[in-house]
Amino acid sequence: MIAGSWIALASGGLVSGILAGFLGIGGGTILVPLLITLGYAPVQAVATSSLAILITSVSGTVQNWRMGYFDLKRVILLGFPALVTAQIGVYLATHILPYILLLAFGILLLTNIYLVELRKRLTVLEAPITTKFNPVISRIGTGGTAGILAGLFGVGGGVIMVPLQMLLLGEPIKVAIQTSLGVIVATAVSACIGHAAKGNVLFVSGILLGSGGLLGAQMSTRVLPKLPDQVVSLFFRIFLGILSIYIFWQAWRSYQGF
């Protein structure tokens, strides 16, 4: 790997960490398009992103544990189905055509715009949501969905886990976020192992991205000034919209090449 690529990966990880901490989104949403831009195959981008997310999510989970916010029982109940379904996502990512994987990722980016807005609306509720859903089925569905997303797209899955925990399990926003971060460790481990077994993970690239992401997340949460919610929300929507258009364009190019 040439020095320029090292710098691009470390810088990309730094930017992804800043945006992830600043906007409250998973780094994989940014890392996968970055790796595609640098010429990585879609399945390599997904796999390598899972390694970078593993590094950053472990750091956040350890911090929660030290502060007494780590609920092992909640994490296990959601993490176990995620461990299983992450392998389904790995299988799909490895066997579907590259342009279809890119197209699906672009749709995921557009879906994230709605999911983050939903999460924002749920956050303003003063009391937890009253739910009548079966808790066992809800946990299997929530964790299982996050696992598939991790294996298939190289994302943490927190953007969908947090709203589902609040809607289906009636958990407060802070508990949902803390639990989600712990589950992301499980999904990232499972996805990373599955992809590594198939030779999809580029370890040096993933470590560079993850290290940059760690630094970027610290910068965004401790140094960057707070902007009004409306400004952040607008920027987030524009950012994801641009990313989705770019990924759809890459999917078209891949299809033309196919």
Side-chain angles (χ1 to χ4, degrees):
M1 183 182 297
I2 61 176
S5 297
W6 282 55
I7 295 173
L9 288 169
S11 301
L14 178 67
V15 172
S16 73
I18 291 174
L19 293 176
F22 191 54
L23 300 175
I25 61 176
T29 304
I30 304 160
L31 294 179
V32 173
L34 169 66
L35 291 169
I36 295 295
T37 302
L38 293 176
Y40 290 70
V43 69
Q44 289 180 327
V46 166
T48 304
S49 174
S50 68
L51 174 57
I53 289 174
L54 173 60
I55 295 173
T56 55
S57 61
V58 166
S59 175
T61 299
V62 169
Q63 183 176 358
N64 279 338
W65 173 70
R66 287 178 176 175
M67 297 175 65
Y69 297 141
F70 183 77
D71 190 324
L72 181 60
K73 181 179 178 181
R74 291 178 186 271
V75 171
I76 291 176
L77 290 175
L78 286 175
F80 182 74
L83 285 171
V84 177
T85 57
Q87 297 307 312
I88 298 176
V90 170
Y91 177 85
L92 292 173
T94 305
H95 288 84
I96 64 177
L97 295 172
Y99 74 88
I100 295 179
L101 181 59
L102 289 172
L103 179 63
F105 189 83
I107 295 173
L108 175 69
L109 291 176
L110 292 178
T111 305
N112 277 353
I113 296 176
Y114 167 75
L115 289 175
V116 173
E117 183 63 25
L118 174 61
R119 171 174 159 175
K120 179 181 176 182
R121 293 177 183 177
L122 294 175
T123 302
V124 301
L125 298 178
E126 296 182 358
I129 298 172
T130 302
T131 176
K132 296 182 180 179
F133 294 101
N134 183 289
V136 175
I137 296 177
S138 296
R139 286 188 172 91
I140 292 175
T142 301
T145 301
I148 291 177
L149 292 177
L152 181 58
F153 297 121
V155 298
V159 72
I160 193 171
M161 265 193 292
V162 171
L164 287 180
Q165 285 173 259
M166 297 175 70
L167 289 171
L168 301 182
L169 299 172
E171 293 181 347
I173 178 67
K174 291 184 179 180
V175 173
I177 292 174
Q178 291 156 2
T179 303
S180 172
L181 187 58
V183 177
I184 287 173
V185 174
T187 61
V189 166
S190 181
C192 193
I193 290 175
H195 279 297
K198 298 181 181 299
N200 298 330
V201 179
L202 302 178
F203 287 95
V204 175
S205 299
I207 292 172
L208 283 171
L209 287 170
S211 300
L214 280 176
L215 179 60
Q218 295 297 319
M219 292 173 60
S220 64
T221 55
R222 297 183 181 184
V223 179
L224 292 181
K226 299 290 185 180
L227 290 177
D229 289 345
Q230 291 182 346
V231 174
V232 175
S233 178
L234 177 61
F235 177 79
F236 176 78
R237 292 185 180 193
I238 294 174
F239 179 73
L240 281 188
I242 293 173
L243 275 184
S244 63
I245 292 173
Y246 173 74
I247 290 296
F248 286 140
W249 177 64
Q250 289 289 348
W252 173 251
R253 289 185 60 191
S254 178
Y255 173 74
Q256 292 291 92
F258 176 78

